């Protein structure tokens, strides 16, 4: 499945508009290729953080005053959290806005990153880097779906990690977009 780049919707604007009243943020969905197959790089957030401690996420965060666009936010966060300079990425696309119950509007930019890069995690914020082959994330035995307050929530129990919340929603969108998601989940 090395044509994942063709399936991802292209970036039409690097500065999409967030929903009214929500804080703007962006994540970078880092996709690497290994043996011709896509994989995703996640971070496990430090247990010492005041928000989202210990959660599995994509590199990202809130837009800062110095970020000209939301793409700049995503690339800055990617560099800060895992040491990946923006010129080592291949920005491919942008998924739709994800609204959270915590008041954020997240814009997920998708792009290619090298697997063999010497990643350097920001120790104060990132406890671990998780490299997950996409096909392993489609195994029915690791996926759970729950309904809460009229919302469909996805949980992925991958190795010793649980991917849930906005990250799981973005993961489902990626897997569905590239044709790896099985209908009926």
């Amino acid at each position: 499945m090395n044509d994942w780049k063709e399936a991802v919707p292209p970036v039409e604007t690097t500065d999409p508009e967030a929903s009214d009243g929500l804080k703007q943020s962006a994540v970078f969905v880092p996709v690497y290729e290994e043996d011709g197959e896509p994989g995703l790089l996640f971070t496990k957030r430090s247990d010492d953080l005041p928000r989202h401690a210990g959660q599995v996420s994509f590199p990202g965060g809130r837009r800062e005053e110095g970020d000209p666009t939301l793409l700049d936010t995503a690339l800055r966060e990617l560099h800060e959290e895992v040491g990946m300079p923006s010129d080592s990425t291949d920005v491919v696309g942008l998924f739709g806005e994800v609204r959270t119950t915590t008041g954020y509007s997240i814009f997920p930019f998708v792009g290619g990153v090298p697997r063999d890069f010497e990643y350097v995690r920001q120790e104060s914020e990132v406890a671990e880097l998780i490299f997950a082959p996409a096909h392993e994330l489609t195994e029915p035995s690791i996926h759970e779906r729950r309904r809460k307050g009229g919302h469909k929530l996805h949980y992925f129990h991958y190795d010793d990690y649980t991917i849930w919340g906005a990250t799981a929603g973005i993961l489902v969108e990626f897997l569905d977009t590239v044709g790896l998601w099985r209908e009926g989940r």
Side-chain angles (χ1 to χ4, degrees):
M1 163 51 69
N2 55 9
D3 59 346
W4 67 268
K5 292 179 181 180
E6 295 172 16
V8 173
V11 176
E12 293 180 9
T13 177
T14 58
D15 203 23
E17 286 194 34
S19 296
D20 293 335
L22 297 178
K23 295 169 244 164
Q24 292 185 330
S25 63
V27 298
F28 194 86
V29 180
V31 184
Y32 64 88
E33 291 186 22
E34 193 165 41
D35 299 326
E37 297 294 324
L40 294 145
L41 169 60
F42 297 91
T43 62
K44 180 177 184 282
R45 295 173 54 84
S46 170
D47 289 330
D48 299 329
L49 294 173
R51 290 186 305 255
H52 310 294
Q55 292 183 4
V56 174
S57 64
F58 291 114
R62 190 172 182 174
R63 184 177 193 168
E64 293 182 358
E65 195 172 306
D67 296 335
T69 68
L70 283 163
L71 175 58
D72 290 308
T73 300
L75 293 172
R76 175 184 51 77
E77 290 284 349
L78 179 69
H79 183 256
E80 288 176 4
E81 292 183 20
V82 303
M84 173 66 59
S86 60
D87 62 0
S88 295
T89 65
D90 177 20
V91 179
V92 173
L94 172 64
F95 288 146
E97 172 190 21
V98 177
R99 299 175 189 184
T100 70
T101 58
T102 56
Y104 282 88
S105 176
I106 304 170
F107 290 92
F109 290 88
V110 183
V113 297
R115 174 62 175 99
D116 59 357
F117 180 78
E118 195 168 319
Y119 291 91
V120 179
R121 64 182 175 81
Q122 182 184 29
E123 292 185 18
S124 64
E125 203 170 322
V126 178
E128 295 178 57
L129 300 180
I130 305 162
F131 292 89
H135 72 274
E136 290 184 18
L137 296 168
T138 65
E139 289 298 318
S141 63
I142 72 163
H143 178 255
E144 173 187 5
R145 186 171 68 186
R146 300 178 196 165
R147 288 205 173 274
K148 183 177 180 182
H151 298 283
K152 178 173 52 173
L153 303 175
H154 296 274
Y155 293 81
F156 293 83
H157 306 286
Y158 176 75
D159 284 348
D160 293 330
Y161 310 101
T162 299
I163 303 165
W164 63 283
T167 303
I170 295 166
L171 172 57
V172 167
E173 185 168 4
F174 175 82
L175 294 172
D176 186 47
T177 298
V178 301
L180 293 173
W181 191 244
R182 297 182 189 120
E183 197 60 41
R185 289 197 176 179

